[in-house]
């Protein structure tokens, strides 16, 4: 038995679709796996650096031009300098625990002359979406600052009201604060944890970051299960195309059986052939009452003559 080309084409298409689904789901699972690995590494860095004692900023970044390293993120550093209060800006669209808020960003000029962007905390929104509540000023004069290093965000291509920024990119923060482009700035930014002397009032502190690994691992496993299930399902449908084609093919008749008609079995009598008698059914009709009465009269006259 041969399988038709149409059935083979249908089966091939089903197998191709199954492979496409399997490859797509596998790649999506790998994408989720990479996110899980990145989150796991970030949590490990956070756990190692969060509890470590503060070190001088120069021990991590010898100069402002040093590239930030993720292995140093969340590390507490101690630095001395003064705030450039006139250059403070707000980071917009950053809710804290579900509360709409602004981050308070103030450039801090270190004793070596370089500027470090410091996130001092957050304040709630004001009477409108483009204003904030009162922003507590930083302490004046020389300040001993302890802050945690954070990786900078990429520059934003969205506009913002004066004195505000969309992303925490040090270059955009300094530009929004009115500092000249020639200002030497660290590529890091830092989240303040303590200031000495302490200010009379300060922005609200940020909550401790969560170390929840997220759903990425379970998503990766689900995508890989979908890959296997999809490949199996489409291959099974392709097999059914072939099996159904073979099951529905006509059975071949031997040439000898085609040349000679089969002889009737002696045990089975031939059906009797009934010969048609009389006129066809189409011309047969029933006699009426007058004809029957006439026949009876003729028969009676014949009996009398005898």
């Amino acid at each position: 038995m041969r399988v038709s080309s149409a059935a083979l084409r249908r089966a091939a298409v089903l197998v191709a679709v199954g492979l496409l689904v399997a490859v797509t789901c596998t790649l999506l699972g790998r994408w989720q796996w990479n996110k899980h690995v990145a989150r796991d590494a970030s949590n490990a860095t956070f756990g190692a650096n969060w509890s470590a004692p503060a070190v001088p900023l120069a021990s991590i970044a010898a100069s402002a031009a040093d590239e930030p390293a993720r292995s140093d993120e969340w590390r507490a550093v101690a630095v001395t300098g003064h705030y450039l209060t006139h250059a403070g800006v707000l980071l917009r669209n950053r809710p804290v625990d579900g509360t709409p808020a602004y981050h308070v960003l103030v450039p801090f000029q270190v004793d070596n002359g370089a500027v470090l962007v410091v996130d001092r905390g957050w304040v709630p929104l004001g009477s409108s979406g483009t204003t904030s509540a009162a922003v507590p000023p930083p302490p004046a004069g020389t300040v001993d600052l302890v802050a945690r290093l954070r990786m900078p965000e990429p520059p934003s291509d969205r506009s913002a009201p004066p004195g505000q920024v969309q992303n925490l990119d040090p270059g955009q923060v300094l530009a929004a604060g009115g500092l000249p482009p020639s200002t030497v700035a660290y590529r890091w930014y830092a989240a303040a944890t303590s200031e000495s002397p302490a200010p009379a009032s300060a922005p609200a502190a940020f909550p401790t970051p969560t170390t929840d690994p997220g759903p990425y691992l379970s998503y990766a496993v689900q995508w890989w299960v979908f890959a296997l299930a999809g490949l199996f399902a489409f291959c099974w449908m392709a097999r059914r195309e072939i099996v159904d084609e073979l099951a529905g093919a006509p059975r071949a008749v031997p040439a000898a059986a085609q040349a000679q008609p089969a002889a009737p079995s002696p045990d089975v009598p031939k059906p009797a052939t009934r010969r048609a008698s009389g006129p066809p059914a189409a011309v047969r009709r029933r006699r009426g009452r007058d004809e029957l009465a006439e026949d009876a009269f003729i028969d009676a006259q014949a009996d009398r003559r005898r």
Side-chain angles (χ1 to χ4, degrees):
M1 297 182 184
R2 296 183 60 184
V3 181
S4 66
S5 58
L8 290 176
R9 282 195 300 270
R10 291 194 298 269
V13 169
L14 288 170
V15 172
V17 172
L19 290 173
L20 179 62
V21 170
V23 170
T24 302
C25 292
T26 299
L27 293 177
L28 290 172
R30 184 170 180 81
W31 169 54
Q32 293 294 328
W33 171 259
N34 290 337
K35 294 182 70 173
H36 164 71
V37 171
R39 175 62 67 86
D40 194 50
S42 176
N43 287 341
T45 300
F46 172 82
N49 292 340
W50 186 263
S51 58
V55 297
L57 175 60
S59 65
I60 295 179
S63 69
D66 289 351
E67 288 288 342
R70 289 198 176 274
S71 59
D72 292 323
E73 189 172 20
W74 299 109
R75 190 69 188 270
V77 295
V79 62
T80 301
H82 63 278
Y83 281 107
L84 303 178
T85 307
H86 66 281
V89 299
L90 297 176
L91 177 64
R92 58 187 288 108
N93 298 326
R94 297 302 173 98
V96 178
D97 286 344
T99 301
Y102 288 103
H103 289 207
V104 179
L105 309 178
V106 184
F108 185 87
Q109 189 165 32
V110 184
D111 286 344
N112 61 7
V115 174
L116 175 67
V117 174
V118 177
D119 190 344
R120 298 189 63 232
W122 65 276
V123 292
L125 297 183
S127 57
S128 69
T130 58
T131 61
S132 68
V135 179
T142 301
V143 177
D144 293 324
L145 172 69
V146 177
R148 295 188 181 276
L149 295 178
R150 298 296 313 277
M151 295 292 294
E153 297 177 357
S156 173
D157 56 359
R158 296 177 297 164
S159 61
Q164 298 183 14
V165 292
Q166 297 282 3
N167 278 11
L168 218 163
D169 170 67
Q172 290 187 337
V173 171
L174 299 183
L179 296 180
S182 58
T183 303
V184 178
Y186 285 93
R187 298 178 182 241
W188 294 95
Y189 80 91
T193 59
S194 67
E195 298 166 332
S196 180
S201 62
F206 296 112
T208 302
T210 179
T211 56
D212 182 8
Y216 307 116
L217 179 59
S218 62
Y219 287 168
V221 173
Q222 290 176 21
W223 280 120
W224 290 334
V225 170
F226 292 159
L228 293 175
L231 183 60
F232 172 80
F234 280 97
C235 288
W236 182 84
M237 287 189 288
R239 178 182 176 276
R240 290 303 309 170
E241 286 288 337
I242 303 299
V243 171
D244 291 346
E245 179 76 9
L246 293 176
R251 302 185 64 179
V253 180
Q258 294 180 4
Q260 299 178 1
S265 174
D267 298 333
V268 180
K270 291 184 178 181
T273 303
R274 297 182 60 183
R275 298 184 62 182
S277 60
V283 299
R284 293 177 185 172
R285 60 184 181 87
R286 302 180 68 178
R287 290 181 169 185
R289 290 183 177 181
D290 293 341
E291 294 178 350
L292 294 175
E294 184 180 353
D295 290 344
F297 177 75
I298 294 172
D299 292 340
Q301 291 295 330
D303 292 340
R304 289 177 183 178
R305 292 174 183 174
R306 292 174 186 170

